[in-house]
Amino acid sequence: MQAFQVQAFDRPASLTEIQCPPPGPGEAAVALRACGLNFADLLMMKGSYQDTPAPPFTLGLEAAGVVTDLGAGTQGFAPGDRVAVFGGSGGLAEAGVFDAARLIRIPDAMSFEHAAAMQIAYGTSHLALDHCARLQPGETLLVTGAAGGVGLTAVEIGKLMGATVIAQARGREKLEVAAAAGADHLVDAGEDLRSTVKALGGADVVYDAIGGDVWKAAFRSANPGARLLPVGFAGGDVPQIPANHLLVKNLTVIGFYLGGYMKFRPEAVRRSFETLFAWHGEGRIKPHISHTLPLERAAEGLDLLRSRKSTGKVVITIGSSR
């Protein structure tokens, strides 16, 4: 089968012919139909992501497809089941073998593309804002990188939770995407983020996916007692946290990594996914997919992330659409 693999960290990832192993105990084989791309894929290609496997490995953290076979003793699924899987890797291939505990059934009405696009972006925002930050109706939520994969879902979920949302993104086109997702106030990346947010009353919750100077400005725009979520650093600079400011303003900084929750609180992730899939079925959320490309163009899809030319999600389609 074809798989988009990293053979070595000093070489570009490429399509490679590999053998798909049979599923072992507790595992399921899945014929993959779609895979969502993430900034983490770019880090894994360089070996700088916190959960990077040893080469060779197949990229693709989140995917969707159809169960084809089960290992000995595997329960809860059957061949033919349509499933989503947050496998951490292995999604950019024609098939894969995954721990069945990481599978979740998807509704018949949900496309594989939407199922593949929802897990990391929506799961990160939902767990971070609801479970960790306890965002409340009437509070003000600041989202940086608000047109990106996770940022856009934070805007959407923040509005669903009753917050006033301030969205920061680069350029009119991306700001319009954030506005369509429900943002109440828009801040261009070229504006003074701190003064603009302070003029709007400050932020009660900060959801930052950029890091660096953007994080510094967002941090300084936070109200006393605010909760701050550094969920990524797409700008390249890891956020730094001045503890003296935490003390003076009684701020709480909450580190959040969805992959970590899969290891120590998997039931929380599953509940979140089930909630999100139900919201999707009710028409309350809808993934924004700016680009859909076939597996042979996976490198092009990753370039779209690298150059920040995408909004929302880039999804790779694989084989049949059903």
Side-chain angles (χ1 to χ4, degrees):
M1 69 174 188
Q2 293 276 303
F4 192 74
Q5 285 205 327
V6 173
Q7 299 293 327
F9 295 130
D10 59 352
R11 300 207 308 266
S14 61
L15 273 180
T16 307
E17 284 281 346
I18 65 170
Q19 293 292 322
C20 185
E27 294 180 332
V30 180
L32 298 173
R33 297 291 181 258
C35 179
L37 299 186
N38 293 274
F39 186 76
D41 289 305
L42 298 177
L43 298 178
M44 291 175 75
M45 290 169 66
K46 299 185 293 184
S48 57
Y49 189 60
Q50 56 262 34
D51 277 342
T52 302
F57 65 90
T58 301
L59 289 168
L61 283 76
E62 56 181 339
V66 179
V67 174
T68 57
D69 195 11
L70 299 172
T74 303
Q75 298 180 348
F77 296 94
D81 284 347
R82 302 172 78 250
V83 296
V85 55
F86 175 26
S89 63
L92 282 174
E94 293 177 319
V97 172
F98 304 96
D99 183 344
R102 286 181 172 252
L103 271 59
I104 183 168
R105 281 190 184 82
I106 59 177
D108 289 341
M110 180 183 288
S111 69
F112 289 121
E113 290 83 1
H114 277 192
M118 284 188 61
Q119 298 166 82
I120 291 177
Y122 279 98
T124 294
S125 293
H126 182 247
L127 270 180
L129 294 176
D130 182 51
H131 179 76
C132 295
R134 306 292 184 186
L135 179 66
Q136 299 299 307
E139 290 190 312
T140 296
L141 167 67
L142 169 61
V143 180
T144 71
V150 293
L152 195 59
T153 63
V155 171
E156 194 174 2
I157 289 174
K159 284 301 296 180
L160 277 176
M161 294 178 68
T164 296
V165 180
I166 304 172
Q168 183 258 18
R170 184 173 299 279
R172 179 178 177 180
E173 180 182 354
K174 291 187 175 183
L175 289 171
E176 287 177 351
V177 170
D184 299 284
H185 304 285
L186 306 174
V187 185
D188 192 275
E191 298 180 51
D192 185 327
L193 180 63
R194 180 198 179 197
S195 62
T196 302
V197 174
K198 294 292 282 185
L200 291 169
D204 301 306
V205 174
V206 171
Y207 184 101
D208 175 54
I210 304 300
D213 290 339
V214 172
W215 162 261
K216 293 176 185 177
F219 185 96
R220 297 180 69 189
S221 75
N223 290 326
R227 292 87 72 202
L228 300 97
L229 295 153
V231 300
F233 38 94
D237 295 326
V238 177
Q240 301 300 307
I241 300 165
N244 57 324
H245 286 231
L246 297 182
L247 299 176
V248 171
K249 295 179 71 175
N250 290 282
L251 302 176
T252 301
V253 177
I254 308 168
F256 181 82
Y257 167 49
L258 185 63
Y261 263 77
M262 282 296 297
K263 295 176 182 177
F264 74 88
R265 289 290 302 277
E267 73 284 357
V269 179
R270 177 169 290 276
R271 284 197 303 268
S272 176
F273 286 176
E274 289 172 348
T275 296
L276 292 166
F277 286 178
W279 285 357
H280 180 279
E282 295 164 3
R284 301 177 70 188
I285 57 175
K286 181 180 179 181
H288 174 86
I289 300 172
S290 65
H291 295 80
T292 303
L293 301 168
L295 182 59
E296 57 267 24
R297 296 173 64 187
E300 182 181 336
L302 290 166
D303 283 339
L304 289 168
L305 297 187
R306 186 181 293 108
S307 62
R308 302 188 188 183
K309 292 181 179 178
S310 62
T311 56
K313 295 292 288 190
V314 176
V315 172
I316 301 300
T317 56
I318 307 163
S320 170
S321 62
R322 292 297 299 175

